[in-house]
Every structure is written in structure tokens, then in C-alpha cells.
Amino acid sequence: DGGITQSPKYLFRKEGQNVTLSCEQNLNHDAMYWYRQDPGQGLRLIYYSQIVNDFQKGDIAEGYSVSREKKESFPLTVTSAQKNPTAFYLCASSTTSLYGYTFGSGTRLTVV
Amino acid sequence: SQQGEEDPQALSIQEGENATMNCSYKTSINNLQWYRQNSGRGLVHLILIRSNEREKHSGRLRVTLDTSKKSSSLLITASRAADTASYFCATGGEETSGSRLTFGEGTQLTVNP
């Protein structure tokens, strides 16, 4: 079955550490996205990529970094520069926006 | 910045009743989409309506779009307990690969059995 997989489901980070969230899709989608969701709120775009080896900053890119070396993979690194990283992180992919986004099941990151 | 604003923020109804959620947006759009999110899960795409469409149906879902008022509504008919979830509208730009969506803050729907 085609889909988008995020791992891990839960992640705990100590202050000052970098952590990397994985996102893999086998849908052959060109575009991939990372969103952050805080409790009771909507989604805010962190980074997105339309093609391999290219990505653009979203609305809240500070303290985050990404890479897109393969079409299937779009990992997100939450760096120590991100002051408030505790949140639910969602990865998505799409072909044209006509068909909407396909989302992963999310990674919940907690700073301890 | 959030493009869409949903109203109400929370809605509680009885099973069998209809649920109506509204979304307002600020700038011109090419399409508007509705998504559903069960607690602690990813979002699921429900329906897309293009800017030149006024109404669209999918099963028990009915979406309307009024571009003059920059607003949309999602109607769920004959609601079920399994419809309990958060519902988000999202506005999109060009219908090409990699077009970014901007999401609203969502309506939390609770359907009581």
C-alpha cells in the first residue's frame, strides 16, 4: 500500500540537542512538506520541497533544517536554536494540489 | 500567518443531527480544501472545491464556497459518533505540484451518541 511514514511516533529531546524526524513516502509524489501543530491550533508550515535537492522556507523555519536528497525522503532536523520545540510535527506529500495532501501520522516531540 | 479562520471553534451535537462549520479567508484563492483530524493523528483530505465552483458533494459532506464573501462552509449530514474529530479548511494556490496550503485553526466537532 502506498503511504507516508513518519518515525518515531514519540520523541524526547534534552535541551541543547538536535533531533531528526524521519518522513518517507512511496506515493511517487514530487512535493513534500513539514508542518508544526501546537495544542488546539492549526498547522504552520516549516519547510517544503517541490523537487529533489530543492526546498523553501515556510512561515516558521527558524531553528529547523531539512534536506531532500531522495524523492522519497524529507527529514526534518530540530536544532538547539529552536526555542520552543515541543509540538506535534506532521509531514505531508502531494502531486498537484488538486488532489490534496497525504499526511503521515505525526511525531510528537517533547523537550525534557 | 493563518489564512483561514474556522467558526465555531467547537461544536457539540447529537448523533443524527447535521453539523455545519464555516471558514473565512483573506486573500484570493484557486481552491479551498477541507481536512479531518482524529485526535493525535494526521490529517485526512475530505474534499476540494475550486474557486469557480459554488457547491460540491461527497457522500454525507456538502461544501459551499462564496468567493465574494471569501467564505466556505462544510455540512456533515446525519452525523455519527465516528465523525467526532477536528475539521480544518485549507486554502491553496496554483494547482501544480508543490503548491503550499495554508490551514485554519480548526473546528472541534463532538458527536454524542
Side-chain angles (χ1 to χ4, degrees), chain B residues 52-69:
Chain B
N52 61 353
E53 297 175 310
R54 291 297 165 258
E55 187 171 313
K56 203 161 183 180
H57 297 255
S58 176
R60 293 184 296 113
L61 305 180
R62 173 178 166 251
V63 170
T64 61
L65 179 65
D66 186 336
T67 53
S68 66
K69 294 181 180 178

Side-chain angles (χ1 to χ4, degrees), chain A residues 30-31 33 35 37 41-45 48 50 59 88 90 95-101 103-105, chain B residues 1-2 31 33 35 37 40-43 45 48 50 88 94-101 103-105:
Chain A
D30 289 314
Y33 314 82
Y35 285 88
Q37 186 178 32
Q41 297 190 27
L43 280 66
R44 291 184 289 168
L45 182 64
Y48 66 109
Q50 294 172 306
D59 299 319
F88 189 50
L90 286 160
T95 52
T96 72
S97 68
L98 194 60
Y99 300 108
Y101 287 7
F103 279 85
S105 55
Chain B
S1 62
Q2 299 294 338
N31 65 74
Q33 304 177 30
Y35 288 79
Q37 183 182 35
R41 306 296 298 274
L43 279 70
H45 181 253
L48 178 150
R50 286 169 143 158
F88 294 89
E94 306 80 19
E95 292 172 359
T96 57
S97 177
S99 175
R100 52 180 290 177
L101 291 178
F103 288 81
E105 297 192 353

Side-chain angles (χ1 to χ4, degrees), chain A residues 36-90:
Chain A
R36 169 183 171 139
Q37 186 178 32
D38 292 284
Q41 297 190 27
L43 280 66
R44 291 184 289 168
L45 182 64
I46 304 173
Y47 269 99
Y48 66 109
S49 168
Q50 294 172 306
I51 56 172
V52 175
N53 293 321
D54 189 38
F55 49 82
Q56 288 79 41
K57 291 182 179 180
D59 299 319
I60 56 164
E62 185 175 349
Y64 300 97
S65 66
V66 293
S67 63
R68 187 85 188 277
E69 297 176 0
K70 298 186 301 181
K71 187 175 185 177
E72 301 79 18
S73 178
F74 192 40
L76 173 74
T77 297
V78 184
T79 74
S80 56
Q82 170 52 234
K83 298 306 177 191
N84 186 20
T86 294
F88 189 50
Y89 290 88
L90 286 160

